[in-house]
Amino acid sequence: ETGVTQTPRHLVMGMTNKKSLKCEQHLGHNAMYWYKQSAKKPLELMFVYSLEERVENNSVPSRFSPECPNSSHLFLHLHTLQPEDSALYLCASSLVQGDYNEQFFGPGTRLTVL
Amino acid sequence: GQNIDQPTEMTATEGAIVQINCTYQTSGFNGLFWYQQHAGEAPTFLSYNVLDGLEEKGRFSSFLSRSKGYSYLLLKELQMKDSASYLCAVLDSNYQLIWGAGTKLIIKP
């Protein structure tokens, strides 16, 4: 596999469920990102990891919990979500965090919360 | 606050030229990106401008005016496959990417 992969591609969950989104990058990058993309809204940066350390948490509700076990993998653990959390969740990576290097995106997970 | 403005939707004809504008007000500036996102797919990098002027890359060109807080993406010889959303993003003084909401471009035969 090449680039940035995400699983699952689609997820439907109830408000009481617990699920996890997975992201893997095969680019040798040191920074990884979680974004939320809602229709007709700008991409919202949720979390940033650099060298497996969290460097950014943009006031994201605690029902979203990230995990970065190594520089190639990133998870987003979900629990007790709300219907307004339904969106496309995109993972991205870049060579380093905090500079002009382009970000490479995965195809996203389309999340629906019932 | 920080703000990126771009039109919500544009329509153009196959074979024609279209210009997608982006204006920004950010805390500092370390460059501007354009990404293309086809429906249901990942955004992919198109261009990065940090100096004023026009950068050409095949059928796509990107222009930047830092004094005006303005950029545009120019697409020539439009093809049906160019139907997509085009995202403008600015790298601010903290090297955080500030994103616009995207412009949905519809190409008609």
Side-chain angles (χ1 to χ4, degrees), chain B residues 8 21 25 28 34 38 43 67 76-78 91 99 103 108:
Chain B
T8 302
N21 296 326
Q25 293 173 306
W34 283 98
H38 285 100
S67 62
K76 302 176 184 176
E77 301 168 20
L78 285 170
L91 204 57
W99 293 85
T103 298
K108 294 187 174 179

Side-chain angles (χ1 to χ4, degrees), chain B residues 59-60 75 77-84 86 105 107:
Chain B
R59 294 189 298 115
F60 291 11
L75 290 73
E77 301 168 20
L78 285 170
Q79 302 175 8
M80 297 303 292
K81 67 179 182 179
D82 298 329
S83 292
Y86 292 85
L105 177 64
I107 309 298

Side-chain angles (χ1 to χ4, degrees), chain B residues 17-66:
Chain B
I17 299 173
V18 71
Q19 177 175 310
I20 302 174
N21 296 326
C22 171
T23 57
Y24 61 88
Q25 293 173 306
T26 56
S27 303
F29 179 84
N30 280 302
L32 185 144
F33 291 84
W34 283 98
Y35 281 79
Q36 179 191 59
Q37 185 178 23
H38 285 100
E41 297 184 14
T44 55
F45 169 80
L46 288 177
S47 66
Y48 170 73
N49 293 65
V50 67
L51 299 176
D52 289 350
L54 185 69
E55 297 226 357
E56 298 185 66
K57 199 184 287 186
R59 294 189 298 115
F60 291 11
S61 302
S62 55
F63 172 83
L64 175 68
S65 169
R66 288 172 296 172

Side-chain angles (χ1 to χ4, degrees), chain A residues 9 35 37 40-43 45 56 88 90 97-100 102-103 105-107, chain B residues 8 30 33 35 37 40-43 45 48 87 91 94-97 99-101:
Chain A
R9 293 293 309 275
Y35 286 95
Q37 187 174 37
K40 299 185 179 179
K41 285 188 174 182
L43 282 173
L45 179 63
E56 189 77 33
L88 181 68
L90 290 165
Q97 186 267 338
D99 72 352
Y100 56 85
E102 66 186 270
Q103 294 184 12
F105 286 83
Chain B
T8 302
N30 280 302
F33 291 84
Y35 281 79
Q37 185 178 23
E41 297 184 14
F45 169 80
Y48 170 73
L87 311 179
L91 204 57
N94 294 319
Y95 289 94
Q96 296 293 325
L97 267 179
W99 293 85

Side-chain angles (χ1 to χ4, degrees), chain A residues 11-70:
Chain A
L11 178 62
V12 179
M13 58 187 290
M15 290 165 53
T16 58
N17 292 158
K18 289 185 180 181
K19 296 286 184 184
S20 295
L21 309 185
K22 179 183 176 182
C23 174
E24 186 172 358
Q25 59 98 358
H26 309 268
L27 300 167
H29 289 168
N30 291 311
M32 297 187 78
Y33 311 79
W34 278 118
Y35 286 95
K36 177 183 179 182
Q37 187 174 37
S38 303
K40 299 185 179 179
K41 285 188 174 182
L43 282 173
E44 298 175 45
L45 179 63
M46 300 175 72
F47 300 103
V48 181
Y49 277 82
S50 177
L51 296 170
E52 299 151 48
E53 296 289 326
R54 188 193 302 182
V55 296
E56 189 77 33
N57 174 0
N58 285 341
S59 302
V60 178
S62 59
R63 56 187 185 267
F64 296 92
S65 174
E67 179 190 0
C68 187
N70 55 62

